[in-house]
Amino acid sequence: MSWTQVYVMGLSRSVDPSDEDIEAMLDERYSLSKDANIVWAGPGTTLIKRDDKGNCRGFAFLTFYSSDGAAIVIDRINDGGLLQAELSDPKSAKEKKKNSGGGSGTRNNDLPDLRLKRQRGQPVRKHPVITSSNGKKTNLGSKTK
C-alpha cells in the first residue's frame, strides 16, 4: 500500500504545543480519523519539524494511505484560512545525494568547477617589440630614439 504525505504550513513557531497536541488539534479540526473517505495513517504518524531549541519550525507532514483522502484534507485545510497545505514532493535518494555535495550547502551544481580550467597563457602583445641599435628592447613600436 502506498502512502501520501501532505505538507502543512502556518503552524505556531513555539515550544508549547507538543507534537501530540498539534496532531490532536489537526485531527479534531479537520476530522482526520472520523471521516471514512480519508484514510489517515493515524496518531503518531504526523511529522512535526522542530529546530535545535525545540521550537516548531512552522510546518508538519500528515501521512495518508490514499491520495484521494490527502486531496480532501488539503481542500479542507486551504478552505479554513489559518493553515495552508499541499501535496508533499519527497526527494528521491538520488536527488538527496546529488544536492548534499558537502560544504556549506550554497554551491550551485550547475556551475562548472573552476579548478578544472586550464592555466592562463602569456598575454599577447598588441605592438611589436623593437630592438634598438644598442641591443635594448623597446616598446615604442616603430618609433626609435
Side-chain angles (χ1 to χ4, degrees):
M1 181 180 273
S2 66
W3 49 269
T4 304
Q5 282 191 324
V6 174
Y7 174 60
V8 180
M9 305 166 266
L11 297 173
S12 172
R13 294 180 177 254
S14 65
V15 180
D16 291 339
S18 67
D19 293 359
E20 293 80 20
D21 294 340
I22 293 174
E23 189 173 52
M25 181 271 304
L26 291 171
D27 182 19
E28 180 182 329
R29 185 177 289 175
Y30 303 111
S31 304
L32 299 177
S33 60
K34 296 174 187 168
D35 194 343
N37 295 330
I38 300 172
V39 187
W40 181 40
T45 60
T46 302
L47 176 64
I48 298 160
K49 299 302 267 180
R50 297 190 177 271
D51 62 11
D52 296 337
K53 297 176 185 175
N55 294 332
C56 178
R57 291 178 55 194
F59 61 94
F61 294 93
L62 295 171
T63 305
F64 296 89
Y65 287 121
S66 73
S67 58
D68 296 335
I72 293 170
V73 171
I74 289 172
D75 290 339
R76 287 182 187 175
I77 292 174
N78 289 335
D79 290 342
L82 295 174
L83 302 175
Q84 295 176 345
E86 61 186 35
L87 276 177
S88 174
D89 186 21
K91 292 182 179 178
S92 67
K94 211 180 241 187
E95 289 177 17
K96 285 180 185 177
K97 192 180 280 187
K98 179 181 172 186
N99 292 336
S100 65
S104 64
T106 59
R107 182 175 173 200
N108 187 349
N109 289 332
D110 295 334
L111 295 176
D113 192 356
L114 298 177
R115 293 174 290 169
L116 297 178
K117 288 188 175 181
R118 62 187 172 121
Q119 292 287 327
R120 188 173 186 179
Q122 291 275 337
V124 178
R125 293 186 171 266
K126 293 182 180 179
H127 303 288
V129 175
I130 299 195
T131 307
S132 65
S133 58
N134 62 0
K136 293 185 178 180
K137 292 184 179 180
T138 64
N139 289 328
L140 299 175
S142 61
K143 301 175 185 175
T144 57
K145 292 184 182 178

